[in-house]
Amino acid sequence: MKTYLKLLVVLLVLGSCQQKEKKTKEKEVVKDTYVQDNYTKKEVKIAMRDGVKLHVTIYAPKDTSKTYPILLQRTPYSCQPYGADTFRTKIGPNSHLMKEGNVIVYEDVRGRWMSEGVYDNMRAYIPNKTAKQTDETTDTYDTIDWLVKNVENNNGNVGTWGISYPGHYATVSTIDAHPALKAASPQACIGDFFFDDFHHNGAFLLSYFRAISLFGTYKDQPTDSAWYSFPKMGTEDQYQFFLDKGPLKNLNEYFQYDKLDTKVATNKNKIDDFFWKEIVEHPNYDDNWKRKGIIQHLDKVPSTVATMIVGGWFDAEDLYGPLETYKGIEKQQPNNYNTMVFGPWDHGAWARNKVSNKVGNYYFGDSISLNFQKQIEAKFFNHFLKGNASKKSGLPEAYVFDTGKKEWKSYDVWPPKNAIKQSFYLSNNQELTEKQKSERVKINFISDVKRPVPYSEDIKTVFTPRKYMTDDQRFAARRPDVLVFETEVLTDDFTLSGDILAKLKVATTGSAADWIVKVIDVHPADLKNDNAEMQKHLKLSNYHMMVRSEVLRGRFRNSFSKPEPFTPNKKTEVNIKLQDVFHTFKKGHKLQIQVQSTWFPLIDLNPQTYVDNIYKAEEKDFKTQTHSIFTDSSIEFTVLK
């Protein structure tokens, strides 16, 4: 009998494996051939005004009975697959624009992949250029000029789009724009490398360390395969890896950043990297970073270009960029058609085809991205590239998702007209109060450089961290080096709709410190889980959802260009601007503020002893210090009334 049962189990297991293998093979056989069936593909080299040739891939509809707009994406991430007979399975911003018919064009930017020239990470815009001077604006202009003159069946209208770095190039396309450019949608667009991606208010995003070689490995010849490689960490515990490495200078072992004239590192474990050198040699917001920013040039966006800025409220990489791009155009070109769309997304999630929309463990609803693609994005491009292109597009000025109520709202201006400033105070006994208490005290905590506060309780290694933006913060709230301040249970809904300013009064026994402020939505205890994919150890009951967070490297409290130490034990003002939110703290929830001085290894570890350049700090510079928060500190919210 036992033998029979064993045989039966074996047969069942084999049958199950065969079914899985059959389904896997069926999936492999089924290939999406829509693009290949409906588009032709052509690869060309377009000469820029200085003679450098850029690689361009053109997908044109096979139906030549009508004309089409051109949708252009310029990218440092490759036009792959290369070869006239190999096709992408999806092209364009979304499937609707792909299936409606548009000429879809991808271009490798100067110095990347199959394009000639030498790459410059965030190449600076050159005002008042001479005839032969080039930057990304001229490369875009020359590309568009060639396309409208040489691509058959185009209707003379061009749109640009892109997410993240391609989003930056979409912004660039609007500066000194070609007359044929009618619509641009910069999405999660980089605005300034001292505030986006690799830096936040002067603090180095250590968690992005492995991505540096993607942008800094030297290349001067076209190639269709990767010429860079990523550092190997040899562990799945990122926190421990960076803690063991110690000062940032010890990471130099992964880069030969002083040998920029060589294409291949002499040590196979090291990478020639000009971007790492740039980061190390420019710790402050100097002219190197300032000239690469694009925000200050938005006064050069002509009124003939309609813009739709897209971002995610929980975008860990690029939240500063899209918000400041929208606000910059509004301020510098108030008569332009300029709109913003911000949803419950992490980096680029609005372009995905998933039905369920969640960030990390937090679920926001179904079909949010899919509806955006059809009802907003496709409508925008169709109106300005195929329609009458009037400012009456039928789209709102600000289309924003309330991440607390989980619903979309439309406004004529952002922040909404009925938003006001309202301050809350960091009071004793972990209270966050609307009125400042007469009793003013200082609250001390020890910031131990050997035990920094983790940014996540997950034990893993990630290339670029994202899920922490909505993570449950209970693990941090229960540490003695994280100060907690929270309201009573709210008796009415309370909606934040704009930026946040933390006005801290602090002191430290050292001469340097970082300051991190987190805004938390504390959920009721009786709440039930609504996301089957939530990590098993978590419950929505009493969930501490991070709504917004930011760091300020204390040395930059008065100027990002001219750092200065703290005077030990002296009460000092530190103001931290947190990016906009649109979030309702619902009745029955609590609003919580957390304040801490380490956030590891999201950001690098501050020595807490002032040094001129943290990237060159020695082990002896790192000292445990006692920090203080005074209870006349406040948080200024933008509140919807």
Side-chain angles (χ1 to χ4, degrees):
M1 184 68 178
K2 288 182 179 178
T3 303
Y4 171 77
L5 289 173
K6 287 181 180 178
L7 180 61
L8 181 61
V9 169
V10 170
L11 289 171
L12 287 170
V13 170
L14 285 173
S16 175
C17 291
Q18 287 171 349
Q19 285 293 323
K20 288 181 180 178
E21 185 178 356
K22 181 180 178 183
K23 289 179 179 179
T24 301
K25 287 181 178 178
E26 286 174 351
K27 286 182 180 178
E28 291 174 352
V29 171
V30 177
K31 183 181 179 181
D32 189 344
T33 62
Y34 183 88
V35 178
Q36 191 167 357
D37 294 341
N38 292 276
Y39 283 83
T40 62
K41 180 185 177 184
K42 185 178 181 180
E43 295 182 329
V44 300
K45 300 290 185 183
I46 300 178
M48 301 295 102
R49 61 191 63 184
D50 62 350
V52 170
K53 294 179 180 178
L54 305 189
H55 178 92
V56 174
T57 300
I58 303 167
Y59 293 91
K62 288 183 177 179
D63 179 2
T64 58
S65 64
K66 53 186 175 181
T67 59
Y68 304 93
I70 296 171
L71 284 169
L72 167 66
Q73 180 182 106
R74 305 186 69 242
T75 178
Y77 299 135
S78 173
C79 295
Q80 290 177 341
Y82 296 108
D85 297 327
T86 54
F87 287 71
R88 293 190 177 201
T89 56
K90 290 181 175 59
I91 56 173
N94 61 56
S95 61
H96 302 285
L97 291 165
M98 176 180 73
K99 292 181 178 179
E100 289 170 5
N102 288 279
V103 178
I104 309 295
V105 179
Y106 296 91
E107 180 176 61
D108 290 334
V109 297
R110 182 179 293 247
R112 297 293 286 188
W113 296 91
M114 289 296 288
S115 286
E116 296 176 354
V118 175
Y119 178 67
D120 188 355
N121 204 14
M122 288 285 282
R123 192 184 305 274
Y125 168 72
I126 305 173
N128 305 313
K129 288 179 281 290
T130 61
K132 290 295 183 181
Q133 279 186 306
T134 63
D135 56 21
E136 300 299 344
T137 66
T138 64
D139 283 356
T140 310
Y141 190 104
D142 294 348
T143 299
I144 292 175
D145 195 62
W146 188 95
L147 291 172
V148 294
K149 291 175 180 176
N150 293 278
V151 174
E152 295 181 356
N153 298 309
N154 83 81
N155 70 359
N157 295 332
V158 178
T160 55
W161 96 99
I163 297 171
S164 194
Y165 217 139
H168 165 73
Y169 291 114
T171 304
V172 168
S173 75
T174 68
I175 308 295
D176 299 335
H178 190 283
L181 182 66
K182 304 300 183 185
S185 184
Q187 304 180 1
C189 44
I190 305 167
D192 191 309
F193 256 166
F194 206 71
F195 304 98
D196 278 312
D197 283 304
F198 295 92
H199 298 94
H200 273 217
N201 290 330
F204 175 57
L205 269 287
L206 182 59
S207 49
Y208 287 56
F209 162 70
R210 283 193 296 163
I212 287 173
S213 59
L214 176 63
F215 303 100
T217 306
Y218 181 79
K219 178 187 81 70
D220 63 356
Q221 295 294 325
T223 180
D224 61 359
S225 57
W227 64 99
Y228 50 82
S229 60
F230 301 117
K232 302 292 191 295
M233 299 179 76
T235 177
E236 294 184 10
D237 188 341
Q238 184 172 262
Y239 181 101
Q240 196 63 47
F241 171 82
F242 285 115
L243 197 63
D244 291 343
K245 282 295 176 185
L248 285 175
K249 67 189 294 290
N250 293 339
L251 296 178
N252 289 343
E253 68 178 276
Y254 294 93
F255 304 99
Q256 290 189 347
Y257 64 87
D258 58 339
K259 296 184 179 180
L260 299 183
D261 56 336
T262 60
K263 289 174 61 178
V264 181
T266 55
N267 184 330
K268 66 180 181 180
N269 295 318
K270 297 182 181 180
I271 306 162
D272 296 328
D273 199 290
F274 57 83
F275 185 36
W276 178 246
K277 181 180 178 68
E278 186 174 44
I279 290 172
V280 169
E281 299 299 332
H282 299 276
N284 308 324
Y285 192 48
D286 58 14
D287 288 342
N288 176 76
W289 300 116
K290 290 177 183 177
R291 67 186 181 86
K292 292 190 171 193
I294 201 67
I295 304 297
Q296 62 267 42
H297 301 299
L298 296 175
D299 61 327
K300 299 174 180 67
V301 180
S303 60
T304 53
V305 180
T307 50
M308 182 178 74
I309 317 301
V310 182
W313 289 130
F314 303 107
D315 189 336
E317 281 98 318
D318 298 298
L319 183 59
Y320 170 91
L323 283 169
E324 293 303 315
T325 298
Y326 168 77
K327 293 177 181 179
I329 296 174
E330 284 295 293
K331 180 180 179 180
Q332 299 182 57
Q333 296 287 55
N335 295 322
N336 283 22
Y337 180 95
N338 178 47
T339 61
M340 61 175 276
V341 180
F342 275 77
W345 299 307
D346 60 12
H347 194 61
W350 51 90
R352 298 172 200 150
N353 293 324
K354 290 185 177 180
V355 172
S356 175
N357 281 125
K358 64 185 186 68
V359 178
N361 287 296
Y362 208 85
Y363 168 75
F364 292 99
D366 285 347
S367 301
I368 295 172
S369 298
L370 299 173
N371 289 336
F372 157 75
Q373 292 167 26
K374 182 179 181 180
Q375 299 171 9
I376 305 296
E377 187 176 41
K379 189 174 182 179
F380 168 76
F381 280 117
N382 285 338
H383 177 76
F384 288 100
L385 301 180
K386 295 179 180 179
N388 63 24
S390 70
K391 289 188 176 182
K392 295 181 179 180
S393 66
L395 296 171
E397 166 79 13
Y399 190 53
V400 288
F401 191 90
D402 184 326
T403 54
K405 287 186 175 180
K406 300 182 181 180
E407 62 185 26
W408 287 100
K409 292 289 186 181
S410 297
Y411 295 102
D412 295 331
V413 64
W414 182 262
K417 292 177 181 177
N418 53 337
I420 64 169
K421 299 295 184 181
Q422 183 175 346
S423 293
F424 282 68
Y425 293 88
L426 309 184
S427 300
N428 203 13
N429 297 320
Q430 297 190 340
E431 294 178 311
L432 184 66
T433 58
E434 292 188 57
K435 293 184 179 180
Q436 187 174 359
K437 291 189 174 182
S438 56
E439 179 188 16
R440 298 183 185 180
V441 298
K442 72 174 181 177
I443 306 169
N444 300 328
F445 67 95
I446 297 172
S447 181
D448 188 344
V449 293
K450 298 295 185 183
R451 295 185 66 252
V453 180
Y455 77 93
S456 170
E457 61 181 340
D458 296 342
I459 305 299
K460 62 181 182 181
T461 298
V462 294
F463 193 72
T464 53
R466 292 178 180 174
K467 70 174 281 292
Y468 79 93
M469 292 290 284
T470 62
D471 262 354
D472 188 343
Q473 297 298 307
R474 277 175 282 196
F475 77 94
R478 294 164 183 173
R479 284 183 57 119
D481 48 359
V482 177
L483 301 186
V484 175
F485 307 89
E486 67 180 27
T487 65
E488 297 289 336
V489 175
L490 298 174
T491 56
D492 294 294
D493 288 354
F494 183 72
T495 302
L496 304 185
S497 57
D499 62 9
I500 300 166
L501 182 62
K503 299 178 178 180
L504 302 184
K505 308 292 195 302
V506 306
T508 174
T509 55
S511 52
D514 292 335
W515 301 96
I516 295 102
V517 173
K518 297 185 289 192
V519 180
I520 313 292
D521 184 340
V522 179
H523 290 45
D526 60 355
L527 218 55
K528 302 299 181 184
N529 282 15
D530 60 359
N531 175 22
E533 298 177 54
M534 179 178 280
Q535 289 171 286
K536 299 302 181 186
H537 69 284
L538 293 176
K539 303 294 181 186
L540 208 52
S541 170
N542 205 42
Y543 193 94
H544 285 35
M545 174 194 176
M546 191 163 76
V547 174
R548 184 62 70 240
S549 54
E550 193 55 277
V551 58
L552 176 71
R553 181 135 285 172
R555 63 177 53 216
F556 298 121
R557 64 193 179 277
N558 294 320
S559 169
F560 288 110
S561 301
K562 297 178 180 179
E564 56 188 288
F566 286 94
T567 300
N569 300 309
K570 180 181 179 181
K571 186 177 181 180
T572 306
E573 292 185 3
V574 174
N575 294 332
I576 308 172
K577 179 188 174 184
L578 285 73
Q579 301 300 333
D580 295 31
V581 300
F582 186 40
H583 184 88
T584 295
F585 293 78
K586 297 171 74 173
K587 176 182 177 180
H589 292 226
K590 291 189 287 186
L591 169 58
Q592 181 186 99
I593 298 294
Q594 292 183 7
V595 181
Q596 59 200 64
S597 277
T598 52
W599 209 15
F600 194 76
L602 183 68
I603 62 169
D604 65 306
L605 196 59
N606 194 314
Q608 302 188 143
T609 303
Y610 188 85
V611 293
D612 288 336
N613 188 337
I614 288 179
Y615 299 97
K616 299 180 180 180
E618 303 286 347
E619 187 76 47
K620 62 181 176 59
D621 298 319
F622 289 76
K623 302 284 179 64
T624 292
Q625 304 289 355
T626 297
H627 299 329
S628 304
I629 296 289
F630 294 83
T631 55
D632 52 345
S633 299
S634 63
I635 309 292
E636 182 185 84
F637 296 111
T638 307
V639 181
L640 191 64
K641 290 295 184 180

